Amino acid sequence: MKSASGIISQAIKDKRKSLLETEAKVICKEYGIPVTRFELAKNEDEAAQFSDAIGYPVVLKIVSPDIIHKSDIGGVMLNLREAKEARNAYKQILSNVKKHNAKARIVGILVEEMAPASTEVIVGSTKDPQFGPALMFGLGGVFVEVLKDVTFRIAPISEEEALEMIEGVRAYPLLKGYRGSPPADINAIVEILLATSRLVMEHTEIRELDLNPIVVYEKGAKTVDARMILE
Ligand code: ADP
Ligand code: MG
């Protein structure tokens, strides 16, 4: 497996500002950030084979340096329940991508385990011109997008600060469990924040990072989409 430094220098050499989802997830894994299990399929047979190996349901996604927002162009297909569906999704995604941009370079199609639904959170990083990398935390969907219910800290953060970031959002009670829904694994989020802090401190070439969403369970969490933008 390629290391973070190798992946980042390759992208710089290729003059790519945005890492592929596969590259961003390999870097996450190296830093101990949990991600959905994935394989990169180069043809329909591989898509079926990897889907069988990962176990159903699976998700297929386009991997292309020319496509940043994958679902906007029909580049993501969820909840595929058998090999035949995975094969059809492979063809459908390629056709959707071609329709959108006939010149898009195709690296392959990501085959991923489908993370069961649960509470979604977001961990991000941006660079402050004065203080360097800053970390952001919030709950997924409307909490971040509409209510701007997020907390920030300058990196590096301590375990205590990670916990403060989580407890600092107004939606925090939702993570503690409500109306019979189970509590989320706060410690797993703390670990992800600390790992992200290490990552952005050690790789200052990363200008922006977006783990969105991270699905959090009673025990553990899984990053479903990861984006990293370089300087
Ligand atoms: P993009 O943000 O580029 O459109 P994503 O990878 O975020 O693409 O996929 C779009 C949405 O599909 C995600 O926000 C999530 O709701 C869902 N999704 C993607 N991958 C998975 C997965 N492995 N398991 C469960 N849901 C997923
Ligand atoms: Mg996404």
Side-chain angles (χ1 to χ4, degrees):
M1 191 202 292
K2 263 180 116 179
S3 73
S5 309
I7 289 170
I8 291 170
S9 46
Q10 184 63 51
I12 292 169
K13 220 183 280 169
D14 296 347
K15 299 195 187 328
R16 286 186 289 126
K17 288 269 182 222
S18 178
L19 298 187
L20 301 168
E21 182 177 345
T22 42
E23 294 173 324
K25 282 182 167 170
V26 167
I27 293 176
C28 283
K29 273 167 83 169
E30 183 180 331
Y31 276 81
I33 298 166
V35 299
T36 39
R37 190 177 160 199
F38 66 88
E39 299 281 354
L40 184 67
K42 300 279 193 179
N43 57 54
E44 203 187 305
D45 285 340
E46 279 187 0
Q49 199 183 307
F50 293 149
S51 298
D52 283 344
I54 287 170
Y56 297 95
V58 295
V59 175
L60 264 61
K61 299 187 202 180
I62 187 65
V63 180
S64 163
D66 302 309
I67 293 159
I68 307 284
H69 298 286
K70 303 173 292 279
S71 44
D72 290 358
I73 57 119
V76 177
M77 299 198 77
L78 302 169
N79 204 25
L80 308 166
R81 286 156 306 178
E82 55 175 343
K84 194 159 163 270
E85 287 186 14
R87 286 178 179 276
N88 286 339
Y90 187 96
K91 288 182 280 206
Q92 186 65 54
I93 288 173
L94 286 185
S95 127
N96 293 348
V97 170
K98 293 242 163 68
K99 238 177 268 163
H100 167 74
N101 175 0
K103 290 199 189 120
R105 292 161 288 175
I106 313 288
V107 178
I109 304 259
L110 196 58
V111 180
E112 278 194 349
E113 75 175 287
M114 172 125 173
S118 189
T119 310
E120 295 186 357
V121 303
I122 295 174
V123 168
S125 175
T126 50
K127 267 191 183 166
D128 182 279
Q130 202 174 352
F131 300 106
L135 299 167
M136 189 210 81
F137 172 78
L139 268 75
V142 292
F143 295 101
V144 168
E145 283 155 29
V146 183
L147 302 171
K148 314 285 181 218
D149 181 17
V150 292
T151 48
F152 289 93
R153 289 289 184 283
I154 301 298
I157 54 166
S158 64
E159 189 173 337
E160 199 183 332
E161 286 174 298
L163 199 54
E164 281 170 15
M165 288 181 76
I166 299 166
E167 291 173 347
V169 294
R170 279 179 302 151
Y172 177 64
L174 298 184
L175 291 175
K176 301 269 286 169
Y178 62 103
R179 292 202 184 169
S181 84
D185 189 341
I186 305 287
N187 193 50
I189 309 172
V190 167
E191 292 299 331
I192 291 172
L193 281 165
L194 290 173
T196 305
S197 172
R198 280 196 299 275
L199 168 59
V200 296
M201 289 307 289
E202 286 173 17
H203 291 284
T204 49
E205 315 92 321
I206 299 174
R207 190 179 72 196
E208 259 172 61
L209 168 154
D210 199 19
L211 308 179
N212 177 11
I214 301 166
V215 191
V216 192
Y217 301 101
E218 259 188 286
K219 193 146 177 28
K222 255 168 204 170
T223 304
V224 154
D225 188 18
R227 251 193 263 290
M228 293 180 197
I229 315 285
L230 304 178
E231 290 291 359

